[in-house]
Amino acid sequence: MKSVNATADSRTRKIDPHLIDCEKNVKNLTLQIKSNQLQDGRLKKIFLIGNPNSGKTTLFNALTGLHQKTANYPGVTVERREGKALLQQSHSTGSSNKTVCRSTNEPLQQEVIIIDLPGIYSLSSLSLDEEITTRHIMGFYDGTLPDAIVLVVDANNLERNLYLATQILDLEFPAIIALTMNDLAEKRGFSVKKELLSKQLGGIQILEIQAQKSQKKGIDALKAELSKKLIEPEKISLPSFLWLCEKEDFQHSSGDITTLPDKLQSWSSKLKLEKYIQSTSDLSEKRKKALTTFFMLELLSDSGIEKFFTIPQSELSGFHNEIINFKGALQNSYKLDPFSFESTKRYQWISSIIKTCCAYTETSRKAVTEKLDALLTHKIAGLVIFAAIMFLMFQSIFLWASYPMEIIDASVGAGGEFIKNTLPEGLLRSLLVDGIIAGVGSVLVFIPQIGILFFFLGLLEDSGYLARAAFIMDRVMRKAGLQGRSFIPLLSSFACAIPGIMATRTIPSFADRLTTIMVAPLMICSARLPVYTILIAAFIPNIPLLGLFSLQGVTLALLYFAGIAGALAVAKLFKVTKLRGEPALFVMEMPPFRAPSLKLAIFNAYERIIMFLRSAGSIILACSVLLWFLASFPGETVQTSFAGMIGRAIEPVIKPLGFNWEIGIALLASFAAREVFVSSLATIYNLQDAGEQGTTLIEILKVKFAAGEIPLAAGVSLMVFYIYACQCMSTLAVVKRETGSWKWVLFMFGYMTGLAYVMAFIVHSLVKNIL
Amino acid sequence: MNQTSFNSLKTLDKCSLGEECHIITLQGKNKLLCKKLLSMGLVSGTVVKVISRAPFGCPLKIEALGYQLSLRLSEAEEIEVAV
């Protein structure tokens, strides 16, 4: 018993930090829950619910257009999409291509909020996605139940999609089934008799939807039906699968002849479940019954639903004891395995429905995907194609993006120059040029890389290749405690960690995603190259090695290698310590191949750029102004500024690494962007040796190196420091955006700085004492 | 249970490519995995087959209920099937 309590407890505690805000919401809004009746002025809420890859997001885009906002759920990496749509009752039935008339005088128009919930396979609450979706449906998110639900059902995977759909239909919500990708299913020889299916599912409306921009179909009809639904929700009476259980010959060994649904009801009232489900207070008896039956089923099948309830400590052990008793009763009297019986029976029931209302004729269509798959995941050909695609993608963000980036740089430079020439010298000019314009520049400069990467990712995901890429790389990445889907984000991080970290949103597991985000900045990004070019040229002699290589080239390669090795080690370490206990699965659906949509890929890139500008952009700009302030006040030059003071103050700390205070200031300044190190160190040294203005940093460093002022050990130590140190505020801003919490930002900054310090210290002492 | 059907019991990772079999039980060591597979339709009685292996030998690609999904060998090991 104790152990059951303990596991339940630890699980609750594990997930809770991410969902603290939900909990708060639930508590704060208890009063509001009391009136489940719609208040005037509140927009009605419609949920889109469906399996992953069911076409949910495409439908969401078609319904809301650009009137949508994307954010994260508080504290977690799961994305929240919400948008507004205008519903209108139209007289056209079935599919219609007519555009909706947007006349504001139309009395039947209604604005509603559409919420695209995370794609899930069932209502159990074991994964974060499931938990968020289920909390929304059950009124445990903000205390309100949905006004209507659109169940997005992929015709290609009818059986599996109906599993979730019927789970929700059992709860008696006003709902409509949006049948997606029916054309694709028909091409594969699978046809659905919609009327028959609707009849089998208690009369629910089934609308065929084609949400792709080029050939929209059924969207207006769906809007019209939703609008009707909101006015008078019709009753659906679905013959729940539980009644199917009844038909089977239950052995009531104890002589108890209570039916299973009635039994579940009596158990739930024994547990006083109703008082935990506050959103039910104003519901009809029938709905209450449906909800409590659902919760009882979930409690019996270990699906983690108990974390929704706040059970007083004193009642906790009694609660768990009762559940164990009920499970025993289910096993003994009803001969049902509590863990699996719902899934097994429900799938049997769905399978029998499908047999009656779907037809399948074999076609050659399926063979195409099979053949393509055989090639693309082939031992040799598959790897070659994979390498080629990855090379193309990397090349594009590393090299092609550099042209627009140069243009942005030049324009920002010209803008600064213009202001320099128009405004008189002074604080305002300095703020505008070195603070704000430089800050805007450092935000804009990321746009090409983000845009190109997400354009590619959009194509890869839409075509179905992204899943294959993860499939190919999983074994290799797993050795490091990561998974197949971590590969592309980490590869992209060699160009820049910003798009790389943003690309981790294709990783479904929270633990895997967080680990990938945490190690992504350890990959040597292109912003480090200017620093390394200077340092290597100054400290490493250009000696040929084995005729083919040079010592300088080998040094650079070693730095890349050290970055990768560090990332792998850190990922492994995270896996066995901090993030253990959330076992990550690699159960990944492999969608059939299809021609990717160019429009969708462009939209994807656009959306990510906007999201970056909106949330990370402001933080980067603010940091840039802050750094400007630190470097300009008080006094004229960087040495006399706050930055200079801090640089001097930290000298004792960085001395063991071989750094002097000049380097300290440059390190601080380069927090804006790593390449700033070069210009700030040059400025500092140039100011010192006023006579030798205009000498490049390489020359200065070479002189200092020859004079023994900066020994080799310090130079190498600096290179190592730059591998591991988190010298990039933009990365931290994006981590804040992606994880939704400052906690992980601080964690990343802390561990990377610590790692950089230790590694630089070790290398410094080694080089100093050995060479 | 007769001898022949007993002999054909194995875990999914041991199946050869293309071999059709049906699920007997999910062994339930990893509750999270089993729950997920159950909700994806891998319940007892479902017909599954291993279609291919990734270039490095793992994971596997399997087919069930008309769709395909990838499973690591350690995950396939939790699924007991009969040929």
Side-chain angles (χ1 to χ4, degrees):
Chain A
M1 183 57 244
K2 223 169 190 172
S3 73
V4 171
N5 275 345
T7 38
D9 251 348
S10 69
R11 194 192 289 139
T12 315
R13 231 170 270 135
K14 180 146 224 69
I15 307 280
D16 263 352
H18 315 317
L19 287 161
I20 284 168
D21 291 51
C22 308
E23 301 277 355
K24 270 190 210 146
N25 282 340
V26 174
K27 277 175 197 140
N28 293 345
L29 291 165
T30 328
L31 289 175
Q32 264 176 280
I33 300 163
K34 289 269 172 351
S35 59
N36 195 52
Q37 301 237 299
L38 298 174
Q39 298 141 1
D40 284 6
R42 175 166 95 65
L43 292 182
K44 295 203 177 184
K45 273 195 311 191
I46 295 174
F47 288 172
L48 296 189
I49 299 172
N51 282 188
N53 306 314
S54 59
K56 208 161 47 69
T57 302
T58 319
L59 175 60
F60 176 75
N61 288 341
L63 282 173
T64 61
L66 292 176
H67 311 281
Q68 50 169 280
K69 55 177 186 218
T70 317
N72 276 16
Y73 287 98
V76 294
T77 52
V78 180
E79 205 160 79
R80 178 190 167 90
R81 286 164 177 273
E82 195 180 295
K84 284 182 180 166
L86 211 55
L87 298 187
Q88 181 173 42
Q89 287 214 16
S90 78
H91 298 290
S92 63
T93 46
S95 59
S96 145
N97 286 322
K98 276 176 248 162
T99 45
V100 183
C101 161
R102 299 217 165 190
S103 139
T104 42
N105 300 328
E106 183 64 68
L108 287 173
Q109 267 189 347
Q110 184 177 15
E111 198 175 36
V112 292
I113 296 179
I114 311 254
I115 298 172
D116 181 16
L117 290 174
I120 54 171
Y121 295 106
S122 80
L123 287 181
S124 62
S125 306
L126 295 173
S127 76
L128 207 53
D129 288 7
E130 286 172 345
E131 187 179 338
I132 285 172
T133 303
T134 310
R135 271 184 194 272
H136 271 88
I137 299 171
M138 301 302 160
F140 277 84
Y141 187 74
D142 59 4
T144 55
L145 292 171
D147 296 302
I149 289 178
V150 177
L151 296 166
V152 184
V153 169
D154 171 7
N156 284 292
N157 276 316
L158 200 57
E159 218 162 324
R160 202 194 60 215
N161 277 258
L162 281 181
Y163 182 78
L164 176 68
T166 59
Q167 269 194 327
I168 292 167
L169 287 177
D170 277 354
L171 298 169
E172 314 247 347
F173 282 108
I176 295 176
I177 286 184
L179 192 69
T180 56
M181 301 188 237
N182 198 29
D183 55 332
L184 208 73
E186 272 172 6
K187 274 181 202 157
R188 287 171 61 188
F190 188 80
S191 71
V192 184
K193 292 169 198 143
K194 279 180 295 201
E195 292 76 24
L196 266 178
L197 182 61
S198 161
K199 217 169 161 185
Q200 292 273 359
L201 296 178
I204 186 173
Q205 206 147 19
I206 301 178
L207 293 175
E208 196 181 324
I209 299 287
Q210 186 70 259
Q212 230 94 42
K213 276 217 169 77
S214 48
Q215 55 214 117
K216 260 188 210 171
K217 190 175 149 192
I219 302 291
D220 293 343
L222 177 65
K223 283 184 173 176
E225 289 305 327
L226 272 175
S227 145
K228 273 192 221 160
K229 265 267 126 80
L230 289 177
I231 296 166
E232 41 177 337
E234 68 202 83
K235 295 279 168 289
I236 307 247
S237 50
L238 181 71
S240 164
F241 85 104
L242 283 173
W243 297 103
L244 186 92
C245 298
E246 283 318 299
K247 282 187 228 152
E248 303 215 345
D249 45 333
F250 283 139
Q251 304 296 313
H252 303 287
S253 51
S254 58
D256 185 355
I257 53 155
T258 321
T259 63
L260 187 60
D262 287 341
K263 198 85 227 176
L264 290 174
Q265 270 305 302
S266 81
W267 285 343
S268 83
S269 48
K270 209 169 169 191
L271 279 179
K272 303 191 187 70
L273 266 189
E274 214 177 286
K275 83 173 175 200
Y276 300 124
I277 314 166
Q278 286 149 328
S279 53
T280 58
S281 49
D282 279 352
L283 294 182
S284 68
E285 278 308 307
K286 204 175 160 212
R287 292 281 310 272
K288 270 187 207 170
K289 241 179 161 172
L291 280 168
T292 46
T293 307
F294 164 80
F295 276 103
M296 207 54 234
L297 265 178
E298 297 295 305
L299 281 172
L300 290 174
S301 66
D302 292 339
S303 75
I305 205 97
E306 67 274 10
K307 61 171 149 303
F308 287 16
F309 305 140
T310 29
I311 303 169
Q313 201 62 41
S314 55
E315 295 169 29
L316 205 61
S317 73
F319 187 88
H320 287 292
N321 274 331
E322 288 285 30
I323 288 179
I324 289 177
N325 289 341
F326 300 155
K327 280 184 193 168
L330 205 60
Q331 212 143 19
N332 296 328
S333 329
Y334 291 89
K335 302 282 174 256
L336 294 170
D337 170 28
F339 184 69
S340 64
F341 93 92
E342 189 205 343
S343 328
T344 313
K345 295 283 177 189
R346 195 184 283 277
Y347 266 109
Q348 279 171 4
W349 174 56
I350 292 168
S351 163
S352 70
I353 290 177
I354 290 203
K355 272 191 195 109
T356 62
C357 46
C358 298
Y360 181 67
T361 40
E362 193 80 41
T363 59
S364 59
R365 185 79 190 174
K366 207 171 138 199
V368 179
T369 279
E370 298 276 274
K371 272 183 193 153
L372 210 51
D373 229 358
L375 177 72
L376 292 175
T377 57
H378 184 265
K379 258 189 185 140
I380 298 152
L383 287 178
V384 172
I385 296 170
F386 174 77
I389 293 176
M390 291 302 123
F391 177 76
L392 180 72
M393 200 168 82
F394 183 70
Q395 183 78 352
S396 69
I397 44 175
F398 197 83
L399 195 65
W400 300 351
S402 68
Y403 304 117
M405 283 163 83
E406 273 163 26
I407 295 174
I408 291 172
D409 252 353
S411 320
V412 169
E417 210 49 43
F418 173 74
I419 291 190
K420 254 185 195 161
N421 294 334
T422 27
L423 285 182
E425 197 177 336
L427 208 56
L428 178 67
R429 192 177 90 172
S430 170
L431 169 67
L432 279 177
V433 175
D434 300 321
I436 294 175
I437 294 190
V440 170
S442 58
V443 174
L444 294 183
V445 82
F446 291 112
I447 290 178
Q449 286 177 332
I450 293 173
I452 293 177
L453 177 63
F454 277 93
F455 173 73
F456 268 98
L457 275 182
L459 290 182
L460 292 183
E461 183 153 31
D462 201 23
S463 66
Y465 189 75
L466 199 61
R468 272 74 184 181
F471 180 69
I472 291 173
M473 289 313 289
D474 184 59
R475 181 156 228 175
V476 180
M477 300 306 287
R478 202 175 54 211
K479 291 236 158 79
L482 294 163
Q483 63 138 301
R485 286 192 191 259
S486 310
F487 183 77
I488 289 179
L490 291 184
L491 178 73
S492 315
S493 298
F494 281 110
C496 178
I498 310 293
I501 288 171
M502 289 172 77
T504 59
R505 54 183 57 241
T506 54
I507 305 171
S509 138
F510 180 71
D512 282 346
R513 184 164 174 208
L514 199 58
T515 313
T516 312
I517 290 176
M518 285 298 149
V519 302
L522 293 177
M523 303 291 156
I524 304 294
C525 65
S526 55
R528 285 169 172 106
L529 286 179
V531 179
Y532 284 145
T533 313
I534 304 273
L535 292 180
I536 289 176
F539 290 99
I540 309 291
N542 197 7
I543 308 168
L545 277 186
L546 304 169
L548 263 176
F549 311 100
S550 78
L551 188 59
Q552 291 188 336
V554 170
T555 307
L556 188 62
L558 279 176
L559 292 172
Y560 271 91
F561 179 74
I564 298 170
L568 299 186
V570 168
K572 194 86 194 168
L573 200 68
F574 282 167
K575 226 24 190 209
V576 296
T577 55
K578 177 75 195 154
L579 302 168
R580 188 179 53 186
E582 224 179 311
L585 306 177
F586 198 64
V587 181
M588 177 181 66
E589 206 184 328
M590 308 271 271
F593 285 110
R594 60 173 184 189
S597 146
L598 215 58
K599 265 187 187 165
L600 206 72
I602 292 170
F603 182 74
N604 194 30
Y606 163 80
E607 193 185 39
R608 294 303 150 188
I609 289 172
I610 295 297
M611 199 185 285
F612 169 77
L613 292 180
R614 233 185 237 159
S615 47
S618 50
I619 302 177
I620 297 174
L621 190 58
C623 285
S624 170
V625 173
L626 179 72
L627 283 172
W628 165 82
F629 176 79
L630 289 178
S632 335
F633 288 94
E636 300 289 290
T637 59
V638 117
Q639 282 111 307
T640 55
S641 69
F642 288 123
M645 289 178 209
I646 301 171
R648 280 176 216 264
I650 62 169
E651 199 180 13
V653 183
I654 55 176
K655 209 165 184 121
L657 311 182
F659 305 161
N660 53 28
W661 63 268
E662 291 96 335
I663 294 177
I665 296 176
L667 282 181
L668 285 179
S670 76
F671 191 63
R674 289 183 174 93
E675 63 269 27
V676 171
F677 176 83
V678 177
S679 58
S680 29
L681 198 57
T683 314
I684 296 166
Y685 279 136
N686 273 328
L687 282 171
Q688 278 179 353
D689 316 317
E692 303 162 43
Q693 276 289 349
T695 35
T696 65
L697 186 60
I698 298 187
E699 286 161 26
I700 298 169
L701 288 176
K702 273 185 174 162
V703 171
K704 303 247 173 211
F705 178 38
E709 276 180 57
I710 305 177
L712 176 66
V716 179
S717 157
L718 196 54
M719 293 179 207
V720 172
F721 189 82
Y722 261 91
I723 303 174
Y724 301 111
C726 192
Q727 292 288 95
C728 179
M729 61 173 182
S730 309
T731 301
L732 294 175
V734 164
V735 171
K736 162 70 177 70
R737 164 66 186 80
E738 293 299 316
T739 61
S741 94
W742 288 106
K743 184 180 81 182
W744 293 116
V745 175
L746 283 176
F747 179 73
M748 174 184 270
F749 183 71
Y751 105 77
M752 285 182 71
T753 310
L755 182 66
Y757 191 88
V758 171
M759 293 307 282
F761 178 75
I762 293 172
V763 169
H764 181 250
S765 341
L766 280 179
V767 176
K768 200 172 160 189
N769 295 322
I770 294 170
L771 292 183
Chain B
M1 189 169 277
N2 63 40
Q3 193 59 37
T4 50
S5 76
F6 183 74
N7 275 343
S8 58
L9 275 181
K10 54 183 164 186
T11 52
L12 188 62
D13 59 308
K14 304 281 187 308
C15 288
S16 41
L17 295 186
E19 189 176 29
E20 273 200 6
C21 39
H22 57 267
I23 295 176
I24 302 295
T25 164
L26 296 174
Q27 290 182 344
K29 258 181 284 161
N30 182 346
K31 289 261 173 202
L32 198 70
L33 171 75
C34 292
K35 201 79 200 163
K36 175 146 191 180
L37 294 177
L38 283 170
S39 62
M40 291 179 87
L42 300 183
V43 296
S44 68
T46 302
V47 176
V48 287
K49 72 178 172 193
V50 179
I51 301 178
S52 67
R53 280 163 186 270
F56 298 115
C58 172
L60 303 173
K61 190 173 71 170
I62 69 160
E63 189 177 280
L65 302 181
Y67 72 93
Q68 301 182 342
L69 79 164
S70 80
L71 278 183
R72 288 173 177 164
L73 285 171
S74 60
E75 291 163 347
E77 213 178 294
E78 304 240 337
I79 305 174
E80 196 173 56
V81 296
V83 179

